[in-house]
Amino acid sequence: MEVGYLFQIGDNIVYPMHGVGIIKAIEEKEISGEKQQYYVIKMLIGNMQVMIPTGKILNLNIRPVTDIIALKDIIHIFQHGESDRFLLWKQRYKVNTDKIKTGKLQECAEVVRDLMRMKNEKELNTSEKKMLVNAHGFLMSELELIKGITENQIKSFC
C-alpha cells in the first residue's frame, strides 16, 4: 500500500546535511502508543539507516535526486558567480551552513565553489576545511546518482 506517499521504495533522495540515500522500505511503527508510517532510508554517506515519519518528510527539505538538466546550472555555478570574500569567517560559515541546510544542489555547489576558491588563495580554518569536505561529499554523492551524467562530468567537480 504505497499509493499516496511522496516517495516510493527504491527512490533516491537527498537529505540535507546528510547526503543522498535510498528509500528501502515504508514501515508502520508504534512509538509511545502512536502508530505512524516511516520511510526507512539507507544513507550512502556513512552507511547508516534512518527512519523518518512520512508526515515530516517535507519539513526536512528532503527531495528527489536532481536530473541531468540541472547539471548545466551546476557547471555554470562553478565557472561563474562571485564569492563574497569580505565576510568574516564566522559570518561566511553561517551563510554556508544555511545554504547546505536548504538541501538544494545549487546552494551546495556554491559552498563548494567558494570554499575551493578560498582554499586556493589561503589556508582554510578547521571548521571550513570540514565543511568543504562534507559539502563536496554531498555534491559528489548526488552527482553520481544522476542518470545520464558521465564520469568525466563528475570528475570536473573534484
Side-chain angles (χ1 to χ4, degrees):
M1 173 151 170
E2 296 174 28
V3 178
Y5 291 117
L6 182 60
F7 298 108
Q8 303 299 315
I9 295 170
D11 286 353
N12 293 320
I13 56 93
V14 176
Y15 187 176
M17 302 296 289
H18 298 281
V20 297
I22 301 169
I23 306 287
K24 288 298 195 183
I26 300 171
E27 298 179 358
E28 183 173 85
K29 296 279 184 189
E30 185 174 333
I31 298 176
S32 301
E34 184 180 332
K35 288 184 179 182
Q36 282 192 35
Q37 297 289 319
Y38 288 84
Y39 287 110
V40 179
I41 305 168
K42 181 180 187 299
M43 303 306 297
L44 300 183
I45 297 176
N47 199 26
M48 67 177 175
Q49 182 171 294
V50 296
M51 293 181 70
I52 300 173
T54 57
K56 295 187 178 182
I57 206 90
L58 289 175
N59 296 343
L60 298 173
N61 293 329
I62 293 176
R63 62 171 176 78
V65 169
T66 196
D67 57 24
I68 191 74
I69 296 166
L71 188 60
K72 205 183 294 186
D73 291 336
I74 303 306
I75 292 169
H76 186 267
I77 287 169
F78 272 85
Q79 293 174 344
H80 306 288
E82 288 300 316
S83 308
D84 191 347
R85 301 176 190 276
F86 299 108
L87 288 178
L88 299 173
W89 86 264
K90 286 183 180 181
Q91 293 169 317
R92 188 173 55 244
Y93 187 83
K94 177 166 180 7
V95 167
N96 287 338
T97 299
D98 290 345
K99 284 182 177 184
I100 294 170
K101 283 181 181 178
T102 68
K104 296 178 181 173
L105 185 61
Q106 294 80 359
E107 301 271 335
C108 187
E110 288 177 9
V111 171
V112 172
R113 176 201 65 202
D114 294 348
L115 291 176
M116 287 176 85
R117 285 178 180 173
M118 287 182 55
K119 181 181 173 187
N120 290 334
E121 294 173 11
K122 64 177 183 172
E123 179 93 16
L124 295 176
N125 66 43
T126 305
S127 297
E128 288 183 314
K129 282 181 190 175
K130 184 175 180 179
M131 179 178 278
L132 176 57
V133 167
N134 289 337
H136 189 265
F138 298 153
L139 177 66
M140 296 304 290
S141 64
E142 183 167 1
L143 290 175
E144 290 170 359
L145 291 179
I146 296 174
K147 293 183 183 349
I149 191 171
T150 68
E151 195 171 325
N152 285 338
Q153 288 171 317
I154 292 173
K155 286 181 181 178
S156 70
F157 294 99
C158 294

